[in-house]
């Protein structure tokens, strides 16, 4: 679960007005159902928004007076012919720029991969040259490489509160960039935001609410950075980051963060050749997550456990875990599903099952599930599309279907033009070695040549 939704500043003199127009548009759908509709609409136009029931609640409560540009495009796509005013939002000019400095409520943070807003740049420079060097305020500024929200004008008086929003946006931005481009180019860039998060926490903001949110944010950011290390083959670094997140969760008493840390630890242990540890970590995560009420989270944890059993060669235990994962998944999404699980859909379910059968040597069944995963995956998640396609290529190669394997391998290589993932590149290198004895088969030589070129240019 990512960090808690941003709590409105109760020191402002005016309470937000409920957005009744937006509430009316939701109709009879629950906030979770409506959030799912928003995410589907986003995919239709090539956007990705982490919309959940909490976000819908914030909009309807009037805490978000104007959505960011991504949400604006999605809402206008959902309700053609309407304007933001028709949806109950305030004009952007009323909540941005000079007006935002005195307005009692704020817009949802706007961000891009690299900050380009002229006013934001001016305010950052003025802030950095005018401050005396407070640890927290300087730390917030270091988060800007990942497109955090513009720094508020009163940052010197509320550095920790501003830092919460910066940390939370850094987490979302890292996940978005990983979905599209993979981990290799992001890992070292993510080290500074992680240090920043713990510096903010060490600065001792005092208020319990702020401390708890910073603990959650720092822990989630440690997991995100750990995943970047994991996917780029830096297993020792990943293990350290996950342990840091787990320790933070334990100190904060945050069960959702603890379940997330154990979940990723199980995945890492499987990939690092420690299957028994993977089983134990997945089971620990399940015990914690049982109190959180999310069937989808429990489904993913059952798959993590299945991966460990597969690594141990225990097919019967693996199949029981897979059956449990499928049954829990079939119960559907819920309002309490963690935001970080946005990647976990039917495609991921199929992809993880394919990996289990690969570990068990069931190549035909593995290729069946890998093919389904690639067919079901939203193309917007470029990294996962490349992963499932590379998995399919390897399974087909080992199943004795070199031509089909080579074709899938070429598709995966094409996807890797926009993705850098040592994990996926390693899978394709293994596939190339398996296919080498078949280099005279139709299509195999083309894949091997393309793979050789890709490795030289990497």
């Amino acid at each position: 679960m990512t960090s808690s939704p941003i709590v409105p500043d109760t020191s402002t003199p005016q309470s937000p007005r409920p957005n009744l127009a937006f509430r009316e548009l939701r109709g009879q759908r629950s906030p979770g159902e409506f959030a799912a509709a928003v995410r589907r609409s986003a995919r239709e136009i090539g956007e990705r928004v982490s919309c959940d029931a909490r976000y819908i609640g914030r909009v309807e409560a009037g805490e978000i007076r104007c959505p960011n540009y991504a949400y604006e495009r999605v809402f206008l796509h959902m309700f053609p012919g309407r304007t933001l005013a028709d949806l109950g939002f305030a004009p952007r000019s009323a909540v941005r720029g000079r007006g935002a400095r005195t307005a009692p409520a704020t817009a949802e943070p706007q961000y891009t991969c690299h900050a380009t807003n002229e006013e934001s740049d001016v305010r950052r420079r003025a802030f950095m040259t005018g401050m005396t060097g407070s640890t927290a305020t300087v730390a917030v500024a270091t988060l800007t490489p990942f497109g955090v929200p513009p720094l508020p004008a009163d940052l010197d008086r509320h550095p920790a509160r501003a830092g919460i929003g910066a940390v939370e946006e850094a987490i979302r931005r890292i996940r978005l960039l990983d979905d599209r481009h993979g981990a290799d180019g992001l890992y070292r860039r993510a080290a500074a935001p992680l240090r920043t998060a713990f510096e903010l926490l060490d600065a001792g903001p005092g208020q319990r609410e702020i401390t708890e949110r910073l603990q959650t944010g720092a822990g989630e950011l440690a997991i995100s950075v750990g995943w970047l290390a994991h996917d780029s083959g830096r297993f020792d670094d990943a293990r350290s980051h996950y342990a840091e997140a787990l320790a933070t969760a334990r100190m904060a008493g945050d069960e959702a963060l603890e379940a997330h840390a154990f979940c990723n630890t199980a995945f890492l242990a499987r990939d690092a050749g420690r299957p028994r540890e993977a089983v134990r970590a997945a089971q620990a995560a399940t015990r914690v997550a049982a109190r959180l009420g999310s069937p989808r989270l429990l489904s993913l944890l059952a798959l993590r456990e299945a991966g460990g059993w597969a690594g141990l060669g225990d097919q019967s235990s693996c199949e029981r875990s897979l059956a449990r994962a499928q049954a829990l998944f079939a119960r559907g999404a819920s309002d309490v599903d963690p935001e970080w699980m946005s990647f976990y859909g039917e495609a991921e379910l199929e992809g993880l099952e394919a990996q289990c059968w690969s570990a068990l040597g069931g190549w035909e069944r593995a290729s069946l599930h890998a093919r389904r995963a690639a067919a079901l995956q939203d193309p917007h998640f470029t990294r996962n599309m490349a992963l499932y396609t590379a998995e399919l290529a390897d399974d087909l190669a080992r199943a004795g279907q070199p031509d089909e394997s080579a074709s899938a391998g070429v598709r995966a290589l094409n996807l890797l033009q926009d993705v850098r993932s040592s994990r996926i590149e390693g899978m394709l290198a293994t596939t190339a070695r398996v296919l080498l004895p078949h280099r005279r088969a139709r299509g195999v030589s083309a894949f091997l040549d393309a793979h050789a070129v890709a490795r030289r240019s990497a």
Side-chain angles (χ1 to χ4, degrees), residues 26 29-37 51-54 56-57 60 335:
R26 175 161 66 86
R29 289 175 286 187
S30 71
E33 291 170 337
F34 191 69
C51 188
D52 57 14
R54 296 183 187 90
I56 300 301
E60 293 179 359
D335 292 349

Side-chain angles (χ1 to χ4, degrees), residues 259-276:
H260 191 183
F262 270 130
C263 176
N264 277 46
T265 298
F267 196 19
L268 173 65
R270 188 208 71 171
D271 284 357
R274 299 190 299 270
R276 197 168 298 282

Side-chain angles (χ1 to χ4, degrees), residues 34-296:
F34 191 69
V38 172
R39 295 193 299 270
R40 285 194 298 272
S41 294
R43 290 194 293 270
E44 290 173 2
I45 60 173
E47 288 288 355
R48 180 175 182 268
V49 294
S50 299
C51 188
D52 57 14
R54 296 183 187 90
Y55 178 88
I56 300 301
R58 292 181 61 212
V59 172
E60 293 179 359
E63 295 175 22
I64 296 176
R65 294 179 62 202
C66 185
N68 69 25
Y69 291 109
Y71 274 105
E72 177 183 352
R73 287 189 286 271
V74 175
F75 291 150
L76 297 183
H77 171 67
M78 291 179 71
F79 305 106
R82 288 183 169 90
T83 64
L84 284 181
D86 295 331
L87 303 181
F89 292 111
R92 196 172 302 281
S93 59
V95 293
R96 293 293 305 274
R98 295 179 181 176
R101 303 186 187 199
T102 57
T106 59
E108 183 189 0
Q110 314 292 321
Y111 57 87
T112 57
C113 183
H114 298 285
T116 58
N117 182 277
E118 182 178 354
E119 181 183 6
S120 298
D121 291 340
V122 170
R123 287 164 64 187
R124 286 193 185 94
R125 287 194 295 271
F127 160 70
M128 290 301 293
T129 57
M131 290 303 298
T132 58
S134 158
T135 299
T137 51
V138 173
V140 172
T142 68
L143 289 167
T144 56
F146 284 98
V148 303
L151 300 180
D154 64 347
L155 183 59
D156 55 326
R157 291 189 290 114
H158 302 289
R161 186 176 295 278
I164 293 170
V167 169
E168 291 170 349
E169 283 302 322
I171 294 167
R172 295 186 181 99
R173 198 60 180 168
I174 287 170
R175 289 172 181 165
L176 174 63
L177 292 171
D178 176 50
D179 286 340
R180 291 180 176 173
H181 304 295
D184 282 21
L186 297 175
Y187 175 58
R188 297 199 182 281
R189 289 172 56 199
L194 182 59
R195 286 194 303 270
T196 292
F198 282 99
E199 286 171 6
L200 286 166
L201 191 58
D202 291 342
Q207 296 181 27
R208 180 176 178 180
E209 169 225 320
I210 294 177
T211 299
E212 289 177 349
R213 286 180 59 200
L214 276 175
Q215 285 176 317
T216 298
E220 286 291 345
L221 191 53
I223 292 173
S224 292
V225 177
W227 165 247
L228 297 180
H230 179 173
D231 197 43
S232 56
R234 300 173 174 90
F235 288 177
D236 288 342
D237 288 353
R239 188 182 180 89
S240 176
H241 290 309
Y242 293 158
E244 187 172 40
L246 183 58
T248 302
R250 292 276 178 81
M251 287 188 292
D254 188 331
E255 293 182 328
L257 178 59
E258 184 176 350
H260 191 183
F262 270 130
C263 176
N264 277 46
T265 298
F267 196 19
L268 173 65
R270 188 208 71 171
D271 284 357
R274 299 190 299 270
R276 197 168 298 282
E277 180 185 329
V279 171
R280 290 197 301 267
Q283 291 173 342
T286 300
R287 286 193 295 271
V288 177
R291 298 187 286 271
L292 301 177
S294 170
R296 283 287 166 91

